Amino acid sequence: MSTPMTRRSLKERADAEGAPAMATLPPTARRRGIGRMLGDALLWVAALGGVVCIVLVILAVTAQITLIMFSTGSMSPTIPAGSVAVVQRVPASDVRIGDVVTVDREGELPITHRITSIADGDAPEQRVITMRGDANASDDPFPYSVTTVRIVLFSVPGIATVIAGMGNPLVLGGLTAAATTLVVWAFWPRSPRRREAGVT
């Protein structure tokens, strides 16, 4: 009468024969191993996303670096609609003709265009600038009197919709629930029998 084979005996036999232990495990155990690896990968992705968010907050506070989204194509083809740009607030005295900057307008949305001319303002730190979108045939109707602007460092096309969608309460709720489930699953205690059998 043959002795029943347990997972441990299968693993020991595989180690003795030099074969991979995973190949000798039953399909259920292999599926658990793959699920564990997938869960670990998702945890790393979530951790990386958290690090990116922390870095963005630190940059926003310490270096005045933020993100802006482009809903129109006035800066196409340089920055097409649907792009996200990384911008940094700088003194108006630091900008030059040809820079792409965002100007805040009281009671209106900010505007991001390319500087076409710069003149001194009433105060030493003030500048009067004219701007034009790369897709426009003429300058903006009025010049802008500014002491600071947000200069575009670089842009990434096509991700504005994704970032805007992250602000949807349903999306945020779903991501929070998914992250909670993943963390609970990853740190849920395993039974001693399963750990001894090499199944995670």
Side-chain angles (χ1 to χ4, degrees), residues 10-11 81 111:
L10 285 171
K11 184 178 185 302
I111 186 168

Side-chain angles (χ1 to χ4, degrees), residues 14 19 45 79 85 93 130 135 158 185:
V45 170
I79 307 176
S93 57
T130 58
W185 173 83

Side-chain angles (χ1 to χ4, degrees), residues 90-101 113-118 127 129-130 149 151:
V90 297
S93 57
D94 289 352
V95 299
R96 300 291 179 265
I97 293 174
D99 289 340
V100 178
V101 300
H113 282 166
R114 193 178 300 277
I115 297 175
T116 56
S117 72
I118 304 174
R127 296 293 183 272
I129 62 175
T130 58
V149 297
I151 189 167

